[in-house]
PDB file of all heavy atoms in Angstrom:
ATOM      1  N   LEU W  15      -5.116 -56.176 -34.324  1.00 92.00           N
ATOM      2  CA  LEU W  15      -4.854 -57.460 -34.970  1.00 92.00           C
ATOM      3  C   LEU W  15      -3.886 -57.310 -36.143  1.00 92.00           C
ATOM      4  O   LEU W  15      -2.942 -58.098 -36.290  1.00 92.00           O
ATOM      5  CB  LEU W  15      -6.163 -58.088 -35.455  1.00 92.00           C
ATOM      6  CG  LEU W  15      -7.055 -58.718 -34.388  1.00 92.00           C
ATOM      7  CD1 LEU W  15      -8.395 -59.107 -34.991  1.00 92.00           C
ATOM      8  CD2 LEU W  15      -6.368 -59.915 -33.769  1.00 92.00           C
ATOM      9  N   VAL W  16      -4.113 -56.298 -36.967  1.00 94.00           N
ATOM     10  CA  VAL W  16      -3.233 -56.079 -38.120  1.00 94.00           C
ATOM     11  C   VAL W  16      -1.827 -55.714 -37.644  1.00 94.00           C
ATOM     12  O   VAL W  16      -0.832 -56.232 -38.158  1.00 94.00           O
ATOM     13  CB  VAL W  16      -3.813 -55.000 -39.055  1.00 94.00           C
ATOM     14  CG1 VAL W  16      -2.820 -54.638 -40.148  1.00 94.00           C
ATOM     15  CG2 VAL W  16      -5.124 -55.486 -39.672  1.00 94.00           C
ATOM     16  N   LEU W  17      -1.727 -54.843 -36.644  1.00 96.00           N
ATOM     17  CA  LEU W  17      -0.406 -54.468 -36.116  1.00 96.00           C
ATOM     18  C   LEU W  17       0.306 -55.661 -35.493  1.00 96.00           C
ATOM     19  O   LEU W  17       1.521 -55.820 -35.643  1.00 96.00           O
ATOM     20  CB  LEU W  17      -0.539 -53.330 -35.107  1.00 96.00           C
ATOM     21  CG  LEU W  17      -0.917 -51.966 -35.685  1.00 96.00           C
ATOM     22  CD1 LEU W  17      -1.093 -50.944 -34.569  1.00 96.00           C
ATOM     23  CD2 LEU W  17       0.115 -51.499 -36.704  1.00 96.00           C
ATOM     24  N   PHE W  18      -0.427 -56.526 -34.811  1.00 97.00           N
ATOM     25  CA  PHE W  18       0.169 -57.732 -34.254  1.00 97.00           C
ATOM     26  C   PHE W  18       0.720 -58.621 -35.368  1.00 97.00           C
ATOM     27  O   PHE W  18       1.844 -59.123 -35.288  1.00 97.00           O
ATOM     28  CB  PHE W  18      -0.847 -58.506 -33.404  1.00 97.00           C
ATOM     29  CG  PHE W  18      -0.303 -59.794 -32.865  1.00 97.00           C
ATOM     30  CD1 PHE W  18       0.575 -59.790 -31.794  1.00 97.00           C
ATOM     31  CD2 PHE W  18      -0.656 -61.009 -33.444  1.00 97.00           C
ATOM     32  CE1 PHE W  18       1.089 -60.975 -31.306  1.00 97.00           C
ATOM     33  CE2 PHE W  18      -0.148 -62.201 -32.957  1.00 97.00           C
ATOM     34  CZ  PHE W  18       0.729 -62.190 -31.882  1.00 97.00           C
ATOM     35  N   GLY W  19      -0.073 -58.813 -36.414  1.00 96.00           N
ATOM     36  CA  GLY W  19       0.380 -59.610 -37.553  1.00 96.00           C
ATOM     37  C   GLY W  19       1.620 -59.006 -38.210  1.00 96.00           C
ATOM     38  O   GLY W  19       2.566 -59.717 -38.546  1.00 96.00           O
ATOM     39  N   LEU W  20       1.635 -57.674 -38.361  1.00 97.00           N
ATOM     40  CA  LEU W  20       2.805 -57.006 -38.928  1.00 97.00           C
ATOM     41  C   LEU W  20       4.021 -57.155 -38.017  1.00 97.00           C
ATOM     42  O   LEU W  20       5.149 -57.335 -38.504  1.00 97.00           O
ATOM     43  CB  LEU W  20       2.503 -55.533 -39.193  1.00 97.00           C
ATOM     44  CG  LEU W  20       1.522 -55.251 -40.327  1.00 97.00           C
ATOM     45  CD1 LEU W  20       1.148 -53.777 -40.351  1.00 97.00           C
ATOM     46  CD2 LEU W  20       2.101 -55.693 -41.661  1.00 97.00           C
ATOM     47  N   GLY W  21       3.809 -57.100 -36.710  1.00 97.00           N
ATOM     48  CA  GLY W  21       4.913 -57.281 -35.762  1.00 97.00           C
ATOM     49  C   GLY W  21       5.516 -58.679 -35.843  1.00 97.00           C
ATOM     50  O   GLY W  21       6.738 -58.849 -35.868  1.00 97.00           O
ATOM     51  N   VAL W  22       4.664 -59.684 -35.902  1.00 97.00           N
ATOM     52  CA  VAL W  22       5.150 -61.063 -36.039  1.00 97.00           C
ATOM     53  C   VAL W  22       5.858 -61.232 -37.383  1.00 97.00           C
ATOM     54  O   VAL W  22       6.918 -61.863 -37.469  1.00 97.00           O
ATOM     55  CB  VAL W  22       3.992 -62.076 -35.880  1.00 97.00           C
ATOM     56  CG1 VAL W  22       4.438 -63.483 -36.225  1.00 97.00           C
ATOM     57  CG2 VAL W  22       3.443 -62.030 -34.465  1.00 97.00           C
ATOM     58  N   GLY W  23       5.301 -60.646 -38.426  1.00 97.00           N
ATOM     59  CA  GLY W  23       5.937 -60.706 -39.747  1.00 97.00           C
ATOM     60  C   GLY W  23       7.306 -60.046 -39.740  1.00 97.00           C
ATOM     61  O   GLY W  23       8.258 -60.557 -40.335  1.00 97.00           O
ATOM     62  N   TRP W  24       7.437 -58.914 -39.033  1.00 97.00           N
ATOM     63  CA  TRP W  24       8.724 -58.230 -38.927  1.00 97.00           C
ATOM     64  C   TRP W  24       9.741 -59.103 -38.193  1.00 97.00           C
ATOM     65  O   TRP W  24      10.894 -59.215 -38.625  1.00 97.00           O
ATOM     66  CB  TRP W  24       8.554 -56.894 -38.203  1.00 97.00           C
ATOM     67  CG  TRP W  24       9.847 -56.176 -37.986  1.00 97.00           C
ATOM     68  CD1 TRP W  24      10.549 -55.445 -38.896  1.00 97.00           C
ATOM     69  CD2 TRP W  24      10.607 -56.143 -36.774  1.00 97.00           C
ATOM     70  NE1 TRP W  24      11.693 -54.960 -38.326  1.00 97.00           N
ATOM     71  CE2 TRP W  24      11.755 -55.367 -37.017  1.00 97.00           C
ATOM     72  CE3 TRP W  24      10.422 -56.684 -35.505  1.00 97.00           C
ATOM     73  CZ2 TRP W  24      12.707 -55.131 -36.037  1.00 97.00           C
ATOM     74  CZ3 TRP W  24      11.370 -56.442 -34.534  1.00 97.00           C
ATOM     75  CH2 TRP W  24      12.497 -55.675 -34.796  1.00 97.00           C
ATOM     76  N   LEU W  25       9.330 -59.748 -37.100  1.00 96.00           N
ATOM     77  CA  LEU W  25      10.242 -60.633 -36.370  1.00 96.00           C
ATOM     78  C   LEU W  25      10.710 -61.791 -37.246  1.00 96.00           C
ATOM     79  O   LEU W  25      11.898 -62.143 -37.252  1.00 96.00           O
ATOM     80  CB  LEU W  25       9.573 -61.187 -35.110  1.00 96.00           C
ATOM     81  CG  LEU W  25       9.494 -60.246 -33.918  1.00 96.00           C
ATOM     82  CD1 LEU W  25       8.657 -60.873 -32.811  1.00 96.00           C
ATOM     83  CD2 LEU W  25      10.877 -59.902 -33.406  1.00 96.00           C
ATOM     84  N   LEU W  26       9.795 -62.377 -37.979  1.00 96.00           N
ATOM     85  CA  LEU W  26      10.171 -63.477 -38.881  1.00 96.00           C
ATOM     86  C   LEU W  26      11.117 -62.991 -39.979  1.00 96.00           C
ATOM     87  O   LEU W  26      12.063 -63.689 -40.346  1.00 96.00           O
ATOM     88  CB  LEU W  26       8.925 -64.133 -39.473  1.00 96.00           C
ATOM     89  CG  LEU W  26       8.105 -64.952 -38.473  1.00 96.00           C
ATOM     90  CD1 LEU W  26       6.735 -65.282 -39.059  1.00 96.00           C
ATOM     91  CD2 LEU W  26       8.840 -66.211 -38.071  1.00 96.00           C
ATOM     92  N   HIS W  27      10.882 -61.783 -40.480  1.00 96.00           N
ATOM     93  CA  HIS W  27      11.797 -61.201 -41.468  1.00 96.00           C
ATOM     94  C   HIS W  27      13.195 -61.025 -40.884  1.00 96.00           C
ATOM     95  O   HIS W  27      14.194 -61.311 -41.553  1.00 96.00           O
ATOM     96  CB  HIS W  27      11.268 -59.850 -41.953  1.00 96.00           C
ATOM     97  CG  HIS W  27      12.328 -59.001 -42.583  1.00 96.00           C
ATOM     98  ND1 HIS W  27      12.886 -59.297 -43.814  1.00 96.00           N
ATOM     99  CD2 HIS W  27      12.972 -57.891 -42.131  1.00 96.00           C
ATOM    100  CE1 HIS W  27      13.812 -58.385 -44.088  1.00 96.00           C
ATOM    101  NE2 HIS W  27      13.881 -57.532 -43.090  1.00 96.00           N
ATOM    102  N   MET W  28      13.281 -60.583 -39.644  1.00 95.00           N
ATOM    103  CA  MET W  28      14.585 -60.358 -39.021  1.00 95.00           C
ATOM    104  C   MET W  28      15.393 -61.655 -38.940  1.00 95.00           C
ATOM    105  O   MET W  28      16.610 -61.644 -39.117  1.00 95.00           O
ATOM    106  CB  MET W  28      14.424 -59.735 -37.631  1.00 95.00           C
ATOM    107  CG  MET W  28      13.814 -58.343 -37.662  1.00 95.00           C
ATOM    108  SD  MET W  28      14.728 -57.168 -38.662  1.00 95.00           S
ATOM    109  CE  MET W  28      16.104 -56.833 -37.588  1.00 95.00           C
ATOM    110  N   PHE W  29      14.733 -62.771 -38.690  1.00 93.00           N
ATOM    111  CA  PHE W  29      15.435 -64.048 -38.652  1.00 93.00           C
ATOM    112  C   PHE W  29      15.728 -64.580 -40.059  1.00 93.00           C
ATOM    113  O   PHE W  29      16.741 -65.227 -40.285  1.00 93.00           O
ATOM    114  CB  PHE W  29      14.663 -65.078 -37.836  1.00 93.00           C
ATOM    115  CG  PHE W  29      14.800 -64.853 -36.362  1.00 93.00           C
ATOM    116  CD1 PHE W  29      13.802 -64.207 -35.652  1.00 93.00           C
ATOM    117  CD2 PHE W  29      15.938 -65.260 -35.692  1.00 93.00           C
ATOM    118  CE1 PHE W  29      13.936 -63.974 -34.291  1.00 93.00           C
ATOM    119  CE2 PHE W  29      16.090 -65.039 -34.333  1.00 93.00           C
ATOM    120  CZ  PHE W  29      15.083 -64.384 -33.629  1.00 93.00           C
ATOM    121  N   ALA W  30      14.847 -64.306 -41.002  1.00 93.00           N
ATOM    122  CA  ALA W  30      15.034 -64.805 -42.364  1.00 93.00           C
ATOM    123  C   ALA W  30      16.100 -64.023 -43.132  1.00 93.00           C
ATOM    124  O   ALA W  30      16.654 -64.527 -44.102  1.00 93.00           O
ATOM    125  CB  ALA W  30      13.708 -64.754 -43.128  1.00 93.00           C
ATOM    126  N   ARG W  31      16.441 -62.827 -42.697  1.00 93.00           N
ATOM    127  CA  ARG W  31      17.410 -61.994 -43.411  1.00 93.00           C
ATOM    128  C   ARG W  31      18.864 -62.320 -43.085  1.00 93.00           C
ATOM    129  O   ARG W  31      19.778 -61.767 -43.683  1.00 93.00           O
ATOM    130  CB  ARG W  31      17.158 -60.517 -43.117  1.00 93.00           C
ATOM    131  CG  ARG W  31      17.635 -60.108 -41.740  1.00 93.00           C
ATOM    132  CD  ARG W  31      17.315 -58.670 -41.426  1.00 93.00           C
ATOM    133  NE  ARG W  31      17.983 -58.278 -40.188  1.00 93.00           N
ATOM    134  CZ  ARG W  31      18.894 -57.327 -40.108  1.00 93.00           C
ATOM    135  NH1 ARG W  31      19.225 -56.639 -41.178  1.00 93.00           N
ATOM    136  NH2 ARG W  31      19.461 -57.047 -38.955  1.00 93.00           N
ATOM    137  N   CYS W  32      19.104 -63.223 -42.156  1.00 93.00           N
ATOM    138  CA  CYS W  32      20.464 -63.544 -41.725  1.00 93.00           C
ATOM    139  C   CYS W  32      21.312 -64.018 -42.902  1.00 93.00           C
ATOM    140  O   CYS W  32      20.846 -64.759 -43.750  1.00 93.00           O
ATOM    141  CB  CYS W  32      20.432 -64.623 -40.642  1.00 93.00           C
ATOM    142  SG  CYS W  32      19.653 -64.075 -39.127  1.00 93.00           S
ATOM    143  N   ARG W  33      22.570 -63.565 -42.910  1.00 93.00           N
ATOM    144  CA  ARG W  33      23.499 -63.959 -43.964  1.00 93.00           C
ATOM    145  C   ARG W  33      24.925 -63.675 -43.515  1.00 93.00           C
ATOM    146  O   ARG W  33      25.164 -62.920 -42.589  1.00 93.00           O
ATOM    147  CB  ARG W  33      23.186 -63.243 -45.266  1.00 93.00           C
ATOM    148  CG  ARG W  33      23.428 -61.754 -45.232  1.00 93.00           C
ATOM    149  CD  ARG W  33      22.988 -61.102 -46.547  1.00 93.00           C
ATOM    150  NE  ARG W  33      23.108 -59.662 -46.486  1.00 93.00           N
ATOM    151  CZ  ARG W  33      22.192 -58.850 -45.957  1.00 93.00           C
ATOM    152  NH1 ARG W  33      21.082 -59.348 -45.458  1.00 93.00           N
ATOM    153  NH2 ARG W  33      22.369 -57.552 -45.940  1.00 93.00           N
ATOM    154  N   VAL W  34      25.847 -64.293 -44.206  1.00 94.00           N
ATOM    155  CA  VAL W  34      27.277 -64.048 -44.024  1.00 94.00           C
ATOM    156  C   VAL W  34      27.823 -63.705 -45.405  1.00 94.00           C
ATOM    157  O   VAL W  34      27.629 -64.458 -46.357  1.00 94.00           O
ATOM    158  CB  VAL W  34      28.002 -65.289 -43.450  1.00 94.00           C
ATOM    159  CG1 VAL W  34      29.495 -65.037 -43.341  1.00 94.00           C
ATOM    160  CG2 VAL W  34      27.420 -65.678 -42.098  1.00 94.00           C
ATOM    161  N   THR W  35      28.483 -62.556 -45.512  1.00 93.00           N
ATOM    162  CA  THR W  35      29.013 -62.098 -46.791  1.00 93.00           C
ATOM    163  C   THR W  35      30.512 -61.871 -46.660  1.00 93.00           C
ATOM    164  O   THR W  35      30.955 -61.199 -45.728  1.00 93.00           O
ATOM    165  CB  THR W  35      28.330 -60.784 -47.237  1.00 93.00           C
ATOM    166  OG1 THR W  35      26.922 -60.993 -47.292  1.00 93.00           O
ATOM    167  CG2 THR W  35      28.829 -60.331 -48.587  1.00 93.00           C
ATOM    168  N   ALA W  36      31.261 -62.429 -47.593  1.00 91.00           N
ATOM    169  CA  ALA W  36      32.712 -62.254 -47.615  1.00 91.00           C
ATOM    170  C   ALA W  36      33.095 -61.486 -48.868  1.00 91.00           C
ATOM    171  O   ALA W  36      32.558 -61.725 -49.949  1.00 91.00           O
ATOM    172  CB  ALA W  36      33.399 -63.613 -47.599  1.00 91.00           C
ATOM    173  N   ASP W  37      34.011 -60.550 -48.714  1.00 91.00           N
ATOM    174  CA  ASP W  37      34.584 -59.852 -49.858  1.00 91.00           C
ATOM    175  C   ASP W  37      36.091 -59.756 -49.640  1.00 91.00           C
ATOM    176  O   ASP W  37      36.620 -60.332 -48.690  1.00 91.00           O
ATOM    177  CB  ASP W  37      33.934 -58.479 -50.065  1.00 91.00           C
ATOM    178  CG  ASP W  37      34.066 -57.555 -48.864  1.00 91.00           C
ATOM    179  OD1 ASP W  37      35.074 -57.652 -48.130  1.00 91.00           O
ATOM    180  OD2 ASP W  37      33.175 -56.720 -48.652  1.00 91.00           O
ATOM    181  N   GLU W  38      36.778 -59.037 -50.508  1.00 89.00           N
ATOM    182  CA  GLU W  38      38.230 -58.991 -50.405  1.00 89.00           C
ATOM    183  C   GLU W  38      38.720 -58.260 -49.157  1.00 89.00           C
ATOM    184  O   GLU W  38      39.863 -58.448 -48.730  1.00 89.00           O
ATOM    185  CB  GLU W  38      38.858 -58.366 -51.665  1.00 89.00           C
ATOM    186  CG  GLU W  38      38.495 -56.917 -51.888  1.00 89.00           C
ATOM    187  CD  GLU W  38      37.213 -56.734 -52.693  1.00 89.00           C
ATOM    188  OE1 GLU W  38      36.584 -57.722 -53.087  1.00 89.00           O
ATOM    189  OE2 GLU W  38      36.844 -55.567 -52.911  1.00 89.00           O
ATOM    190  N   HIS W  39      37.868 -57.465 -48.523  1.00 89.00           N
ATOM    191  CA  HIS W  39      38.277 -56.695 -47.354  1.00 89.00           C
ATOM    192  C   HIS W  39      37.934 -57.359 -46.031  1.00 89.00           C
ATOM    193  O   HIS W  39      38.528 -57.040 -45.008  1.00 89.00           O
ATOM    194  CB  HIS W  39      37.655 -55.299 -47.392  1.00 89.00           C
ATOM    195  CG  HIS W  39      38.020 -54.542 -48.626  1.00 89.00           C
ATOM    196  ND1 HIS W  39      39.292 -54.105 -48.883  1.00 89.00           N
ATOM    197  CD2 HIS W  39      37.278 -54.167 -49.689  1.00 89.00           C
ATOM    198  CE1 HIS W  39      39.320 -53.481 -50.038  1.00 89.00           C
ATOM    199  NE2 HIS W  39      38.108 -53.508 -50.563  1.00 89.00           N
ATOM    200  N   GLY W  40      36.942 -58.220 -46.020  1.00 90.00           N
ATOM    201  CA  GLY W  40      36.568 -58.845 -44.759  1.00 90.00           C
ATOM    202  C   GLY W  40      35.251 -59.585 -44.829  1.00 90.00           C
ATOM    203  O   GLY W  40      34.806 -60.019 -45.896  1.00 90.00           O
ATOM    204  N   LEU W  41      34.633 -59.670 -43.670  1.00 90.00           N
ATOM    205  CA  LEU W  41      33.444 -60.494 -43.480  1.00 90.00           C
ATOM    206  C   LEU W  41      32.341 -59.640 -42.861  1.00 90.00           C
ATOM    207  O   LEU W  41      32.585 -58.906 -41.906  1.00 90.00           O
ATOM    208  CB  LEU W  41      33.822 -61.639 -42.535  1.00 90.00           C
ATOM    209  CG  LEU W  41      32.983 -62.887 -42.481  1.00 90.00           C
ATOM    210  CD1 LEU W  41      32.936 -63.571 -43.828  1.00 90.00           C
ATOM    211  CD2 LEU W  41      33.567 -63.826 -41.438  1.00 90.00           C
ATOM    212  N   THR W  42      31.136 -59.747 -43.409  1.00 94.00           N
ATOM    213  CA  THR W  42      29.969 -59.086 -42.837  1.00 94.00           C
ATOM    214  C   THR W  42      29.016 -60.173 -42.370  1.00 94.00           C
ATOM    215  O   THR W  42      28.640 -61.050 -43.140  1.00 94.00           O
ATOM    216  CB  THR W  42      29.269 -58.188 -43.873  1.00 94.00           C
ATOM    217  OG1 THR W  42      30.210 -57.229 -44.359  1.00 94.00           O
ATOM    218  CG2 THR W  42      28.079 -57.472 -43.250  1.00 94.00           C
ATOM    219  N   VAL W  43      28.644 -60.114 -41.096  1.00 95.00           N
ATOM    220  CA  VAL W  43      27.732 -61.086 -40.503  1.00 95.00           C
ATOM    221  C   VAL W  43      26.451 -60.353 -40.140  1.00 95.00           C
ATOM    222  O   VAL W  43      26.455 -59.466 -39.287  1.00 95.00           O
ATOM    223  CB  VAL W  43      28.349 -61.743 -39.252  1.00 95.00           C
ATOM    224  CG1 VAL W  43      27.374 -62.734 -38.638  1.00 95.00           C
ATOM    225  CG2 VAL W  43      29.665 -62.419 -39.585  1.00 95.00           C
ATOM    226  N   VAL W  44      25.360 -60.700 -40.807  1.00 95.00           N
ATOM    227  CA  VAL W  44      24.054 -60.114 -40.515  1.00 95.00           C
ATOM    228  C   VAL W  44      23.271 -61.156 -39.732  1.00 95.00           C
ATOM    229  O   VAL W  44      22.838 -62.161 -40.289  1.00 95.00           O
ATOM    230  CB  VAL W  44      23.306 -59.713 -41.806  1.00 95.00           C
ATOM    231  CG1 VAL W  44      21.935 -59.149 -41.479  1.00 95.00           C
ATOM    232  CG2 VAL W  44      24.128 -58.728 -42.620  1.00 95.00           C
ATOM    233  N   ASN W  45      23.138 -60.933 -38.433  1.00 93.00           N
ATOM    234  CA  ASN W  45      22.333 -61.804 -37.586  1.00 93.00           C
ATOM    235  C   ASN W  45      20.957 -61.176 -37.437  1.00 93.00           C
ATOM    236  O   ASN W  45      20.664 -60.145 -38.039  1.00 93.00           O
ATOM    237  CB  ASN W  45      23.018 -62.031 -36.248  1.00 93.00           C
ATOM    238  CG  ASN W  45      24.178 -62.995 -36.357  1.00 93.00           C
ATOM    239  OD1 ASN W  45      24.252 -63.792 -37.279  1.00 93.00           O
ATOM    240  ND2 ASN W  45      25.100 -62.928 -35.413  1.00 93.00           N
ATOM    241  N   ALA W  46      20.112 -61.760 -36.631  1.00 91.00           N
ATOM    242  CA  ALA W  46      18.725 -61.315 -36.551  1.00 91.00           C
ATOM    243  C   ALA W  46      18.594 -59.826 -36.215  1.00 91.00           C
ATOM    244  O   ALA W  46      17.823 -59.121 -36.858  1.00 91.00           O
ATOM    245  CB  ALA W  46      17.963 -62.156 -35.544  1.00 91.00           C
TER     246      ALA W  46
END
């Protein structure tokens, strides 16, 4: 049960971490 909860939490983290970052050299796209 605890491992299942941690697995679901990890999946939700992977989707919540998405971002697009721009700097002077280019673009970094962090998808799930």
